[in-house]
Amino acid sequence: MPLTEFDIIARYFAQATPGRKDVVLGIGDDAAVIDPPAGQQLAIAIDTLVAGVHFPFDTEPYDLGWKALAVNLSDLAAMGAEPAWLTLALTLEHNDEDWLAAFSRGLADLAAQYDLQLVGGDTTRGPLTVTVQVAGYLPPGEALTRQGAAPGDEIWVSGTLGDAGLGLRIAQGRLEAGDVVKETLCRRLDRPPPRLAAGIALRGIASSCIDISDGLLADLGHLCAAADCGARVHYADLPLSSAARPFIEANSELGDLPLIGGDDYELCFTAAASRHADIRSLATQLDCPLTCIGQIETEHGIRCQQPDGQLKSLSGQGYRHFNESN
């Protein structure tokens, strides 16, 4: 007998995530009822992933469950928020029990790391589409935003850049790599680690912040536009992983990938130069690389200082979508 919507919810999602004391009423009613922490502001984010646009059709369901949640948690990280609750809308072409079991495990495993409870959602029939909404909280007035950068501020990024872009090319068969490197780079594409601890730690330090979903160039551009200013990026300072560096350095066609490659889901933030030592200390405490890559400038536009000292004006968009023609 085919699974009904209620079968899917009961079997794969009703008990998939940890319970929270602040959830008065969760899955099973017309709406969730939540008792948010007193004196806190709510931060809410939502993302939709469409098969063939945002991920390949043959993406492993576990990875898709993980990533659908991770990209939303990355938005909360960029706001400095503590995650708490999520909802899920899942559109399926057909009900595959093995697929559903793996997808729900991927979602649940990441949710458990951050004590998130799935409190509601919807399922329907159609082209494979996953929509996740997450909500969290933070002290009033302490949200990190895209506005606030000022000339003289330093530009920082978490983690490493270009890994997901290389993973995408490997997954598409456009780039060859050994088994270990392939697994490392494809994992960065399929299971990006949300930088929630870094975002929370940057409250009161960062003057602006955004997560890198569409590529450093595109997302740094949003910070500059919000502040009515420009930026200078030092190419030699862009952080590369040991798996990515050989590709970037050996292939000129991949040289711009740390600037334009999407799906890294690292944080790009600005801070006054006087907070440099504080941020270095945070990196040690968080066990998460935080790298200063440039400065905010009065002149509009983004310029990249090449290793030979020459300045290159940058423009264009990154590549977030699996189908880069979209």
Side-chain angles (χ1 to χ4, degrees):
M1 181 179 296
L3 291 175
T4 68
E5 176 183 10
F6 299 106
D7 292 333
I8 292 172
I9 293 170
R11 188 173 302 180
Y12 299 107
F13 298 107
Q15 304 298 323
T17 58
R20 292 179 57 95
K21 293 181 179 180
D22 52 20
V23 176
V24 179
L25 193 62
I27 292 175
D29 221 298
D30 290 319
V33 178
I34 293 169
D35 186 14
Q40 298 286 294
Q41 292 183 326
L42 293 180
I44 301 170
I46 189 170
D47 250 312
T48 295
L49 302 181
V50 179
V53 177
H54 301 99
F55 60 91
F57 287 99
D58 60 356
T59 298
E60 291 294 328
Y62 182 98
D63 293 336
L64 182 57
W66 176 291
K67 188 169 185 176
L69 177 55
V71 301
N72 283 276
L73 293 180
S74 185
D75 285 329
L76 289 193
M79 303 297 292
E82 180 89 24
W85 316 282
L86 73 132
T87 60
L88 166 69
L90 185 60
T91 303
L92 300 168
E93 293 183 356
H94 54 87
N95 298 335
D96 182 325
E97 295 194 46
D98 290 338
W99 191 97
L100 283 162
F103 175 88
S104 65
R105 284 198 306 272
L107 183 85
D109 284 352
L110 183 57
Q113 291 186 24
Y114 299 102
D115 192 30
L116 272 86
Q117 182 171 344
L118 178 62
V119 296
D122 190 27
T123 62
T124 189
R125 181 67 58 86
L128 178 57
T129 305
V130 184
T131 299
V132 172
Q133 181 183 58
V134 293
Y137 55 89
L138 70 166
E142 293 192 18
L144 306 178
T145 71
R146 298 183 181 188
Q147 300 178 354
D153 281 1
E154 295 178 331
I155 303 166
W156 294 75
V157 294
S158 66
T160 55
L161 302 176
D163 293 328
L166 289 169
L168 175 60
R169 283 154 176 77
I170 292 171
Q172 293 174 326
R174 297 160 55 194
L175 196 66
E176 293 185 359
D179 290 344
V180 174
V181 171
K182 177 180 179 180
E183 180 179 357
T184 298
L185 295 175
C186 288
R187 188 179 182 89
R188 285 280 286 142
L189 173 67
D190 294 331
R191 302 186 200 176
R195 300 300 188 184
L196 287 157
I200 292 170
L202 288 169
R203 294 177 192 161
I205 295 177
S207 54
S208 68
C209 189
I210 191 171
D211 76 320
I212 303 174
S213 57
D214 297 328
L216 175 64
L217 173 58
D219 292 315
L220 176 57
H222 294 315
L223 296 186
C224 290
D228 192 28
C229 58
R232 179 180 301 213
V233 172
H234 301 278
Y235 185 88
D237 293 333
L238 298 177
L240 304 178
S241 69
S242 59
R245 185 174 296 279
F247 293 101
I248 302 298
E249 293 182 345
N251 189 333
S252 60
E253 294 182 359
L254 299 175
D256 285 343
L257 200 57
L259 294 166
I260 64 173
D263 281 305
D264 280 323
Y265 293 101
E266 297 291 353
L267 298 183
C268 175
F269 62 96
T270 61
S274 61
R275 305 308 299 265
H276 189 100
D278 296 328
I279 297 170
R280 290 290 188 196
S281 178
L282 273 182
T284 301
Q285 296 171 29
L286 296 169
D287 193 25
C288 172
L290 300 175
T291 306
C292 181
I293 62 166
Q295 301 82 34
I296 296 295
E297 298 182 331
T298 303
E299 181 183 355
H300 287 183
I302 300 176
R303 292 155 292 283
C304 183
Q305 185 165 332
Q306 303 297 311
D308 61 5
Q310 292 187 351
L311 280 181
K312 177 182 178 182
S313 293
L314 302 175
S315 62
Q317 297 296 318
Y319 301 127
R320 180 182 182 183
H321 296 167
F322 158 69
N323 183 349
E324 293 177 0
S325 64
N326 281 277

